Amino acid sequence: MKFNNLLFETEAGVTTITINRPKKLNALNIETIEELHNAFKKADNDKSTKVIIVTGSGEKAFVAGADISEFADFSEEEGKQLALKGQTILFDFVENLSTPVIAAVNGFALGGGLELAMACHFRVASDNAKMGLPEVSLGVIPGYGGTQRLPQLIGKGRAMELIMTASMIDANQALNYGLVNHVTTQEELLPLSEKLAYKIANNSLVAISQAIKAVNANYKDGVNGFHAEIVGFGNCFGTDDFIEGTTAFLQKRKANFPGK
């Protein structure tokens, strides 16, 4: 599969997807969103891929936002369809992916860039990262899940302030808010992300996929997260990973999970 706007590499069970539009600060246009969908789907379907890392090329930006030139003249209905399609094929798709996804946020993560990072299962940031949802300064609101995921991650009040002021926060403030899990230098961003990925990869990927479903269930209207946890817990009992994990524990040895 060939990509025009992405770099795709798999090594030692970790697939790294790099958004590669440095002249546009890796802004998300329609083509890039579709390519990201295909790249995540390819990695998720690859049995050798245990963890996915997504990042941006260059030192300035993870993703500086959406490509505004593509939708500046859209009608109301076209705007709704833009948000609906983007949420469906990328942002919701990534959030519910069975393979763990880490966002390695290097530089600016604004608008759609922050929304992509928030759709990932957790985030690591470089110390030069800047994050925000500046959409109201353009006369629009976040349309790729930002109004929903930001309050979930940092609380309603802080999210309201960031969205209404269109302000940016730096990496340390993002860490303090709980928006990112770790802050490191730009040079150590990918090595730290890979270290976390390898730690995840040592565990049962089957169980992790059930955990992702259970955690996400708590944030869906009309879904009982506790019930989803009970179902996922029970499902694990019918897997080879459960047999290997419990047997290894009882035999006092390291588990060797079969994979996806």
Side-chain angles (χ1 to χ4, degrees), residues 56-116:
S57 64
E59 299 181 351
K60 293 183 178 180
F62 173 71
V63 172
D67 198 330
I68 297 166
S69 63
E70 283 195 333
F71 58 81
D73 59 351
F74 272 20
S75 66
E76 290 179 28
E77 185 56 33
E78 286 173 323
K80 291 175 185 176
Q81 291 304 313
L82 178 72
L84 174 62
K85 184 177 180 181
Q87 287 194 29
T88 301
I89 71 168
L90 181 58
F91 300 87
D92 291 350
F93 183 76
V94 169
E95 181 177 65
N96 294 297
L97 213 63
S98 60
T99 304
V101 183
I102 302 171
V105 181
N106 54 312
F108 291 108
L110 304 175
L114 180 55
E115 288 172 305
L116 176 59

Side-chain angles (χ1 to χ4, degrees), residues 19-220:
I19 302 160
N20 189 34
R21 301 183 76 212
K23 291 182 179 179
K24 294 284 188 178
L25 294 179
N26 303 322
L28 294 179
N29 60 359
I30 293 170
E31 181 185 39
T32 304
I33 287 175
E34 290 176 348
E35 287 193 355
L36 280 165
H37 169 80
N38 291 330
F40 279 110
K41 186 175 181 179
K42 177 182 177 181
D44 191 45
N45 290 335
D46 179 9
K47 292 188 180 300
S48 68
T49 296
K50 298 180 177 180
V51 183
I52 301 168
I53 296 171
V54 61
T55 192
S57 64
E59 299 181 351
K60 293 183 178 180
F62 173 71
V63 172
D67 198 330
I68 297 166
S69 63
E70 283 195 333
F71 58 81
D73 59 351
F74 272 20
S75 66
E76 290 179 28
E77 185 56 33
E78 286 173 323
K80 291 175 185 176
Q81 291 304 313
L82 178 72
L84 174 62
K85 184 177 180 181
Q87 287 194 29
T88 301
I89 71 168
L90 181 58
F91 300 87
D92 291 350
F93 183 76
V94 169
E95 181 177 65
N96 294 297
L97 213 63
S98 60
T99 304
V101 183
I102 302 171
V105 181
N106 54 312
F108 291 108
L110 304 175
L114 180 55
E115 288 172 305
L116 176 59
M118 290 191 294
C120 298
H121 297 129
F122 65 90
R123 290 142 295 283
V124 181
S126 59
D127 52 17
N128 69 324
K130 303 279 187 183
M131 298 168 222
L133 296 174
E135 284 86 348
V136 297
S137 69
L138 302 173
V140 70
I141 69 170
Y144 289 142
T147 64
Q148 305 304 299
R149 293 190 179 97
L150 189 61
Q152 290 170 5
L153 289 166
I154 70 172
K156 181 180 177 182
R158 284 172 170 168
M160 283 287 200
E161 179 182 346
L162 278 179
I163 291 169
M164 290 191 290
T165 61
S167 298
M168 289 189 295
I169 59 174
D170 62 23
N172 287 325
Q173 194 167 3
L175 180 66
N176 182 53
Y177 280 4
L179 184 54
V180 302
N181 291 24
H182 305 277
V183 174
T184 187
T185 63
Q186 190 139 31
E187 293 76 17
E188 289 299 315
L189 179 62
L190 281 178
L192 175 57
S193 299
E194 289 165 357
K195 180 180 178 181
L196 291 165
Y198 295 140
K199 191 170 184 179
I200 292 168
N202 285 330
N203 298 313
S204 167
L205 300 180
V206 175
I208 286 171
S209 71
Q210 291 290 338
I212 290 169
K213 289 180 184 179
V215 172
N216 284 344
N218 187 53
Y219 296 97
K220 294 178 181 177

